[in-house]
Amino acid sequence: ANGHLAAVRLLLGRGASVAVAAPRDAGCALHAAAAGGHAEVLTALLDALNGGALNNGSGGAGSPLSSALLSTDAEWRSPLMVAAAGGHGAAVALLVAASAPLEQSDVRGSTALLHACTAGDPAAVQSLLRAGARPSHRNLRGRDALMCAAVGAHLPLLPLLLEPCRESVPDAMVHAAAAGHARTALALAE
């Protein structure tokens, strides 16, 4: 899915399967659309997976939609994680609205929220927090959402994360300073 909505609609109209995995463990069509942040293509794919209407209630456990949202690439990243890692807030919002699992983690223990914080996308972070993503979750490196934002010097994310991650502020300051982001470390100290 290179963002060519007309081509995607043509393929879907001819019976192409959305859930077929791409070569080299790249995930399914949802992964490709999420990686490019192609919101219109994602909408078409999600609609096709859900039998023609995103909110018709047919996306329960075991459904094609549910299976595609749970599918992973070689790094165990779901389409939601891929969209979050790319900083694609609109794609994240669509996948959250389609009930993508929020706490699914990749091979490094990172969730979609940690990917969004690493990417520095406020829209994605807000969508995930509103949906109930846990900012206190720590990946295998021991980083929570605040620490991921601090390491990337993503100052606009700090107000969103300070309260839910207040216990990790000292660690986040250390991570920011170690990454060479003195301004971020000082912002955390205030």
Side-chain angles (χ1 to χ4, degrees):
N2 291 323
H4 300 291
L5 182 59
V8 169
R9 285 186 175 148
L10 175 69
L11 290 167
L12 290 172
R14 294 192 176 175
S17 174
V18 176
V20 172
R24 297 185 309 270
D25 294 321
C28 66
L30 284 182
H31 284 86
H38 303 298
E40 290 180 334
V41 171
L42 263 176
T43 299
L45 295 171
L46 291 167
D47 190 48
L49 283 164
N50 208 26
L54 269 181
N55 293 313
N56 72 3
S58 64
S63 71
L65 175 61
S66 177
S67 296
L69 291 171
L70 285 166
S71 69
T72 60
D73 62 12
E75 298 282 318
W76 298 0
R77 295 180 312 162
S78 67
L80 179 59
M81 287 183 235
V82 171
H88 303 300
V92 167
L94 283 169
L95 291 163
V96 166
S99 300
L102 301 176
E103 299 304 324
Q104 186 174 352
S105 60
D106 66 12
V107 70
R108 292 175 186 85
S110 291
T111 61
L113 180 59
L114 298 188
H115 283 291
C117 290
T118 299
D121 181 18
V125 171
Q126 288 174 330
S127 289
L128 291 162
L129 288 172
R130 273 195 304 270
R134 286 185 355 203
S136 62
H137 172 85
R138 291 183 184 240
N139 63 17
L140 296 179
R141 295 183 80 180
R143 292 182 179 163
D144 67 6
L146 182 61
M147 289 180 226
C148 289
V151 166
H154 300 303
L155 290 170
L157 300 183
L158 299 185
L160 302 172
L161 300 167
L162 280 172
E163 179 58 31
C165 296
R166 64 183 167 278
E167 292 179 14
S168 68
V169 170
D171 290 337
M173 289 170 53
V174 170
H175 282 278
H181 304 303
R183 199 167 131 212
T184 304
L186 289 172
L188 287 164
E190 294 176 349

